[in-house]
Amino acid sequence: MNQNNGMQKRMLIMTLIVFVFFIAYEFLVLKPQQEAKAALAKQEQTQKQNVAPDVNSVDTKMVSTDVNGNPVDMSNSTDALSSKSIATSQIVSTIKTAKSTIEIDTLGRVAQVTLVEEKYKDENANQIKLFESNQLRPLEVRFADANINADAFKVNVVASLANVDATTSSQELVLTQTLNGTVLTKKLTFYPDGHYDLNVSTTNEKQFFITNGFRPNVLADMYAVHGFISKLNDNTLKTIEDGKLDKNENIIGAKFLSSFDRYYTTVIYNFEKSLSITLMPDTKSNPQGFIHGGSDVTFSGFIGPKNHRDLAALNPELIDVIDYGWFTFIAKPMFLLLQFIQGYVGNWGWTIVILTILIKLVLFPLSFKGMVSMQKLKDLAPKMKEIQAKYKDDKQKQSMHMMELYKKHGANPMGGCLPLILQIPVFFAIYRVLLNAIELKGAPWMFWVHDLAEMDPYFVLPVLMGATMYLQQKITPNTMQDEMQKKIFQFLPVVFTFFFLWFPAGLTLYWFINNLFTIGQQYYINSVFERKRAEKN
């Protein structure tokens, strides 16, 4: 049993160390790399005197087919530039919806989507643009016939309208591309909510493939999953993260395909007639999805935020576009509860507070058992030391007497660890929910927090979180005998405070409230044991 006690300590320490490393890697490694890359891109852009890259020179691709008729990329792609500006000479039609501005380029692709709602602004207070200027663009068509395909990247499309106003009602746009051997026609209907219906057809039954494009590139970090996800006819989900696709892969019978970062998606869906998809890796092994269009295909699409209500309004199955990782089965109902509470409270910050309290109340029986076990072990610590000293040369007798001691006093060395382990899935689920919830974007709480999806500008919440973590540590019974282990735990509040300085305020708020109520629970347990000790004396 003494071995079990040591195992408990090692598991606790390992869990905390892994989590600290998880945070440290993002801040100390990935963030500097991203900043250096951004600085280099900015320098390159300045040297080019802010001239936007030529779409044709960047995106022109040659495609042939393999023996199965799947598209094979024969181009040499270049590293993505950071600039999101598109030359006006490359835009043939601009569509305005109530929630976005969509720009169509000379090859009939979606060149850029700008979110127009007030809350969707970047760090420079500009409306968020979803795509890099030279990435694989949504609605790009590639032909099975290599000669026609080459022609398709040289001939401009003709748009039926240069400007489309779909802010209050649906509007149609027709894009026609007359090629050597076929005419490609895209008939689009845009709706005020930003989604669209599309029929793509060719004459002479020329076979083609069409893509939903590379994912939006607004926020892609190590915390949240980003890459590709598809829902199949059997309702299973297939997710491939960026950097994880090393060869072509076929998907037969898909309801939707989505390319996404933390908050945004470009999704194509058809719930009446399933889609066949070929995934192709780019030069960085990122997944790129191509739908087998045949000579005529119809589907719907949406490019924008992964807002739960907006996706559900299009089709309830599109909620699966939001991927919470391993604990999705817990995270989904937890988000629904969060959304339900917010419907009554009206403020996302106070909703997080209420949800945290509810979770603490539901998990209190588990927490109570763990805290009671820790108190018992603390009371038995002197006797445990005596046994360890008396039988230090006989581990078998030491374990036997330890087991007798635990049995006599009803203590369980794993009692403090097991409840913690059982709560881990719940913790990570709420962590993923708050990390992926675009609903927190632009949502205020109190007078100094104006955006729960961004860091606390005055570091109030991280400091409070660190202070409560320190206080919680001080009042929690510590049964550790090793001085090094004690020092590691004593230093953790400082480490966590440091890294939480840059965490989204909503996530830090959750952790702070969680600590606050854990302190209350611990005070209660401590007082119960103090009364019992007083009664014995």
Side-chain angles (χ1 to χ4, degrees):
M1 295 297 288
N2 188 39
Q3 291 177 345
N4 287 339
N5 194 26
M7 184 183 297
Q8 172 191 359
K9 295 171 186 176
R10 287 194 294 272
M11 288 176 68
L12 281 168
I13 292 173
M14 185 59 66
T15 300
L16 290 169
I17 290 176
V18 168
F19 187 77
V20 170
F21 175 79
F22 181 73
I23 301 170
Y25 185 74
E26 164 72 11
F27 180 75
L28 299 177
V29 179
L30 295 185
K31 189 175 180 182
Q33 289 177 351
Q34 292 170 354
E35 290 174 346
K37 185 177 179 181
L40 180 61
K42 186 175 181 180
Q43 182 180 358
E44 290 175 351
Q45 188 178 359
T46 302
Q47 291 173 349
K48 293 179 180 180
Q49 298 180 339
N50 295 320
V51 176
D54 180 6
V55 173
N56 286 313
S57 66
V58 174
D59 277 333
T60 299
K61 297 180 182 292
M62 293 290 291
V63 177
S64 64
T65 57
D66 61 19
V67 293
N68 297 317
N70 298 321
V72 178
D73 191 353
M74 300 176 65
S75 66
N76 295 316
S77 61
T78 57
D79 291 336
L81 301 176
S82 64
S83 172
K84 294 185 176 183
S85 60
I86 308 295
T88 54
S89 61
Q90 297 296 326
I91 303 303
V92 297
S93 186
T94 301
I95 302 95
K96 293 185 181 296
T97 72
K99 297 186 177 183
S100 61
T101 297
I102 303 168
E103 296 174 282
I104 305 295
D105 70 11
T106 54
L107 298 182
R109 307 168 299 185
V110 175
Q112 190 57 273
V113 174
T114 304
L115 305 181
V116 298
E117 293 180 88
E118 182 63 25
K119 67 178 181 178
Y120 295 116
K121 289 189 175 181
D122 61 21
E123 62 276 6
N124 299 317
N126 298 319
Q127 295 301 137
I128 287 175
K129 296 180 183 296
L130 297 185
F131 300 123
E132 298 293 340
S133 61
N134 68 339
Q135 69 181 65
L136 177 66
R137 297 181 178 178
L139 307 189
E140 177 174 301
V141 169
R142 299 184 183 180
F143 285 89
D145 186 314
N147 293 324
I148 295 178
N149 192 72
D151 200 26
F153 284 94
K154 299 174 183 177
V155 177
N156 290 349
V157 302
V158 176
S160 60
L161 293 169
N163 294 284
V164 178
D165 185 356
T167 54
T168 58
S169 62
S170 61
Q171 299 293 328
E172 293 185 356
L173 173 68
V174 179
L175 304 172
T176 306
Q177 191 176 30
T178 304
L179 305 172
N180 185 19
T182 190
V183 176
L184 175 69
T185 304
K186 296 178 181 176
K187 295 181 180 179
L188 290 134
T189 302
F190 291 97
Y191 297 86
D193 60 9
H195 91 278
Y196 63 86
D197 296 331
L198 172 62
N199 172 260
V200 188
S201 62
T202 60
T203 59
N204 301 326
E205 297 186 349
K206 294 300 181 181
Q207 306 295 303
F208 65 86
F209 308 90
I210 186 167
T211 179
N212 67 324
F214 189 63
R215 62 164 172 75
N217 192 26
V218 181
L219 186 58
D221 51 36
M222 70 176 292
Y223 297 135
V225 178
H226 48 87
F228 170 91
I229 187 170
S230 181
K231 186 172 186 177
L232 308 184
N233 288 338
D234 61 3
N235 292 321
T236 59
L237 297 173
K238 184 176 184 63
T239 303
I240 300 177
E241 297 183 39
D242 284 348
K244 299 294 180 66
L245 185 69
D246 56 4
K247 61 182 179 180
N248 282 14
E249 186 170 333
N250 294 323
I251 299 175
I252 306 299
K255 294 183 178 182
F256 71 67
L257 67 157
S258 164
S259 299
F260 62 94
D261 68 1
R262 181 194 286 187
Y263 288 147
Y264 309 97
T265 180
T266 169
V267 58
I268 285 175
Y269 56 95
N270 190 328
F271 296 103
E272 296 178 358
K273 186 177 180 181
S274 60
L275 305 168
S276 294
I277 304 163
T278 291
L279 293 178
M280 295 168 49
D282 64 9
T283 55
K284 297 180 180 179
S285 296
N286 299 322
Q288 302 176 115
F290 284 85
I291 296 169
H292 294 233
S295 61
D296 189 290
V297 68
T298 298
F299 54 76
S300 298
F302 172 75
I303 303 172
K306 293 186 289 183
N307 184 292
H308 194 279
R309 282 197 175 99
D310 290 346
L311 292 171
L314 294 176
N315 189 293
E317 293 195 61
L318 283 177
I319 294 171
D320 289 327
V321 166
I322 307 171
D323 190 339
Y324 298 110
W326 291 348
F327 298 105
T328 296
F329 69 100
I330 301 176
K332 279 189 175 181
M334 194 168 290
F335 178 82
L336 291 175
L337 177 59
L338 191 73
Q339 189 171 251
F340 175 78
I341 296 170
Q342 196 274 339
Y344 286 94
V345 176
N347 180 282
W348 282 102
W350 289 115
T351 297
I352 293 172
V353 172
I354 293 171
L355 179 67
T356 308
I357 296 172
L358 288 176
I359 292 173
K360 294 298 292 183
L361 291 174
V362 170
L363 296 178
F364 179 71
L366 281 175
S367 301
F368 182 83
K369 287 182 179 180
M371 290 175 177
V372 167
S373 181
M374 295 296 286
Q375 280 285 2
K376 288 181 178 179
L377 290 173
K378 178 186 177 184
D379 292 344
L380 294 176
K383 295 182 179 180
M384 291 164 62
K385 281 186 178 180
E386 290 178 8
I387 293 173
Q388 289 170 350
K390 186 175 180 179
Y391 301 102
K392 62 181 180 180
D393 297 325
D394 192 337
K395 297 298 181 182
Q396 187 175 356
K397 282 190 176 182
Q398 185 184 109
S399 297
M400 182 182 69
H401 284 280
M402 282 285 191
M403 184 162 49
E404 290 176 355
L405 180 68
Y406 296 145
K407 187 175 182 180
K408 180 180 178 181
H409 294 275
N412 183 356
M414 292 298 291
C417 186
L418 188 58
L420 174 65
I421 293 173
L422 293 175
Q423 293 178 61
I424 286 176
V426 177
F427 163 73
F428 275 106
I430 188 66
Y431 169 80
R432 287 293 184 185
V433 166
L434 296 179
L435 201 64
N436 287 277
I438 185 65
E439 286 80 0
L440 299 185
K441 182 69 178 175
W445 182 74
M446 301 297 282
F447 59 88
W448 80 93
V449 177
H450 303 294
D451 191 339
L452 287 166
E454 300 292 336
M455 56 181 274
D456 184 333
Y458 301 106
F459 308 117
V460 176
L461 287 173
V463 171
L464 289 175
M465 186 282 301
T468 52
M469 190 175 182
Y470 173 78
L471 180 57
Q472 177 186 336
Q473 193 180 80
K474 295 295 288 184
I475 67 172
T476 300
N478 190 339
T479 60
M480 293 181 183
Q481 307 299 322
D482 186 84
E483 289 301 318
M484 180 60 69
Q485 291 178 358
K486 288 182 180 180
K487 288 180 180 179
I488 291 174
F489 269 73
Q490 289 170 357
F491 193 64
L492 283 177
V494 177
V495 174
F496 272 58
T497 300
F498 177 75
F499 289 116
F500 267 74
L501 294 176
W502 290 271
F503 262 42
L507 189 59
T508 312
L509 174 62
Y510 160 73
W511 202 298
F512 164 58
I513 299 298
N514 183 73
N515 286 351
L516 208 58
F517 274 80
T518 302
I519 290 170
Q521 291 175 351
Q522 190 66 60
Y523 264 120
Y524 171 71
I525 298 297
N526 291 354
S527 64
V528 169
F529 271 78
E530 286 299 324
R531 285 199 300 270
K532 287 183 178 180
R533 292 190 191 103
E535 290 172 1
K536 288 181 180 180
N537 297 332

